Amino acid sequence: MAEEAVRAVLEQLLVALGTPKNGEPRRGALLVALTAGGALGGPLCTLTVAATGPLSRDLDPETLGGGAPRGVQELPGAPPNPPPCCGRILARAQVQRSFQICHPPPLSPARGSLWRLLHRTSLVHPEVEFHFCASIDGNVTSRRLSPEPPWAQAGTRLRVQSRHFTGPPCSRLRPSPGLPLPLPVPPPLAAAGFGGDLELLPVSALGPPGTPPGHGPPLCRVQLYLFDPAGVPVPPPAPPTLQDPSLLGDWGGFGLAVTPLNPQNPPDPKNPPDPRGCCEDEEEPVPPDVTFGVRWDPPEGDGDPQTSPEGDPKTLLVFLFLRHRDPFGGYDAGTRRLLLAQLEPTLRLGRPALARGLRALLHPLLGELRRQHQAPPKSSAGGGGRRRRRKGPGATAARTPRSGRSEGQDRAPSHPSALPVLPVSPVLPHPSLHQLVPVPSMGFIFSTHPQ
């Protein structure tokens, strides 16, 4: 229970930081420090939160609402024995708050849990610099996330460096938002005092970008990330409604088979993050709430399921942002507790609308990936050579016919309009696929305008 108390304190502070009253993006720096191993009779475990810049305006004493959770006591004054890596932030922090954990949890798991919570929250605050420090019996761990140019659309801001989701190499994702999907408020939630309207905004992205059509598997994994209206992640486990892959699409219709995987793979408590010293910017991917494994499984006669195309495997990222609007009250820690207690009934009641909205967003992308996978460059089957344009009969006369074929059978048409053309979907392709444009050096001719 002590670990839950530490997480609850940090969640309440992050909820306040994630709900700006003026609608402007957050900027500044946020420090979260965990200190343990003091002298006998001193504070056994201390959680310190400090902020600089405009971010500090919301770390006021009113933030915790009804007060700190049971087993947590706020300390007056400066934090006792802060980790040495915190000095630079604490020296310029306008606001800092410290909490003593009366019954400290196992410290290694708590350290990993707090970092994952902070890393997940940083995804929706790309302009904020995040620092995490932990000092346990003299062993110091430090993590830092620098500000990044955001993706900002549909009232949402997001870090889009692929290293946060799929690891290195790093490239910039191209998210695509869907339409906001209204969610009904269950009667028990309304009776508990929850007012206003709820909706869910889905956003998708494909990573890693840059793999040309026909040179990679259509999909290997789907990862879901769920955020509450303040941009704070929802504690695991994920609601059962989101663990059903049929909510996202008709996978069989695209020749895909989907298998639920372990949604989160937290570090082994016996092997916590590197405690040997301060580290550079962390590139470990953020664990998703739900993960599905995907494999190519077309109907019989519709492609070879054993084929392993070249290229980096693709991951479909689906971000689900809950939104709350109430003209008579805002979203705070108390509202969050009410919503989380009834989140699964809320999603279950809104499942038909969620399924329609998610499929409208994802089906065009899945269809485009399937077409690309089913139409690989024919030149790759003949030894990986580059397809060349032939400008006249003299160019083909020099070729040596292949064994078992006549020269006429092996000769390709010379007119550009006779070159094979990939089928074009009537639906505009997903923005993530804009980076999948083939280049001549890869030997693949793509034409939608015959000459």
Side-chain angles (χ1 to χ4, degrees):
M1 294 299 294
E3 182 175 347
E4 285 78 359
V6 177
R7 182 184 175 100
V9 172
L10 184 55
E11 284 181 347
Q12 291 184 43
L13 295 170
L14 293 176
V15 166
L17 296 176
T19 52
K21 300 178 178 60
N22 54 11
E24 296 180 356
R26 297 300 193 192
R27 291 185 174 89
L30 179 69
L31 166 71
V32 175
L34 183 67
T35 308
L40 184 64
L44 296 178
C45 184
T46 303
L47 177 69
T48 300
V49 181
T52 67
L55 204 64
S56 61
R57 289 195 299 261
D58 295 293
L59 277 178
D60 56 65
E62 304 284 330
T63 298
L64 288 178
R70 180 178 301 178
V72 178
Q73 177 184 359
E74 184 163 6
L75 300 175
N81 303 319
C85 53
C86 300
R88 185 172 65 89
I89 298 295
L90 291 177
R92 56 189 178 96
Q94 285 92 348
V95 175
Q96 55 186 3
R97 303 179 64 182
S98 298
F99 303 88
Q100 178 182 337
I101 313 303
C102 301
H103 303 285
L107 297 178
S108 293
R111 174 175 55 186
S113 175
L114 292 181
W115 163 243
R116 289 191 295 273
L117 171 61
L118 196 64
H119 196 178
R120 274 288 300 270
T121 305
S122 75
L123 298 179
V124 295
H125 298 293
E127 291 102 333
V128 174
E129 180 181 354
F130 286 83
H131 292 259
F132 175 74
C133 294
S135 177
I136 299 175
D137 295 326
N139 294 321
V140 179
T141 301
S142 176
R143 300 286 186 265
R144 178 170 62 91
L145 288 163
S146 302
E148 298 177 8
W151 173 84
Q153 195 172 337
T156 302
R157 309 180 81 82
L158 188 65
R159 290 179 185 258
V160 288
Q161 297 296 325
S162 61
R163 65 186 176 90
H164 297 297
F165 313 101
T166 58
C170 185
S171 53
R172 187 174 174 86
L173 302 175
R174 298 187 59 134
S176 176
L179 295 176
L181 309 174
L183 292 175
V185 177
L189 182 56
F194 187 93
D197 300 322
L198 276 174
E199 64 181 18
L200 184 141
L201 175 71
V203 177
S204 64
L206 188 66
T211 305
H215 284 258
L219 211 58
C220 72
R221 183 176 296 135
V222 179
Q223 297 179 180
L224 269 65
Y225 300 85
L226 177 63
F227 296 88
D228 80 342
V232 181
V234 173
T241 296
L242 299 182
Q243 300 182 37
D244 180 5
S246 65
L247 177 72
L248 303 178
D250 178 17
W251 302 99
F254 297 97
L256 300 173
V258 179
T259 305
L261 301 178
N262 185 17
Q264 297 200 46
N265 296 298
D268 187 345
K270 297 181 180 179
N271 298 285
D274 184 6
R276 292 173 295 180
C278 295
C279 308
E280 297 298 326
D281 286 17
E282 181 61 45
E283 294 192 6
E284 180 180 328
V286 178
D289 293 299
V290 181
T291 304
F292 300 112
V294 183
R295 62 184 177 89
W296 177 238
D297 188 25
E300 186 176 356
D302 187 20
D304 183 4
Q306 303 303 320
T307 300
S308 298
E310 300 177 355
D312 295 329
K314 296 181 178 68
T315 299
L316 176 60
L317 307 172
V318 182
F319 305 95
L320 305 176
F321 298 98
L322 290 167
R323 291 177 166 182
H324 173 244
R325 293 183 177 87
D326 185 0
F328 303 104
Y331 185 83
D332 55 18
T335 310
R336 172 181 163 89
R337 285 191 292 269
L338 294 177
L339 176 59
L340 294 184
Q342 293 292 322
L343 183 55
E344 169 56 22
T346 301
L347 296 175
R348 189 168 58 245
L349 283 176
R351 193 184 193 284
L354 290 178
R356 287 192 300 269
L358 288 169
R359 293 184 178 205
L361 175 64
L362 301 179
H363 274 195
L365 172 60
L366 297 176
E368 186 73 13
L369 287 172
R370 186 191 186 196
R371 284 188 289 273
Q372 293 175 359
H373 181 66
Q374 288 181 320
K378 294 183 180 180
S379 59
S380 62
R386 180 179 300 176
R387 183 186 294 272
R388 300 174 180 173
R389 292 180 183 265
R390 299 176 180 84
K391 300 181 180 180
T396 58
R399 289 194 56 184
T400 302
R402 299 176 184 175
S403 59
R405 294 186 182 181
S406 67
E407 185 176 351
Q409 290 174 324
D410 193 59
R411 184 181 297 118
S414 60
H415 194 278
S417 63
L419 292 173
V421 177
L422 285 178
V424 179
S425 170
V427 183
L428 289 177
H430 192 278
S432 297
L433 298 172
H434 293 178
Q435 299 184 4
L436 307 182
V437 178
V439 295
S441 62
M442 304 195 73
F444 185 75
I445 298 175
F446 182 84
S447 173
T448 56
H449 301 284
Q451 300 182 8

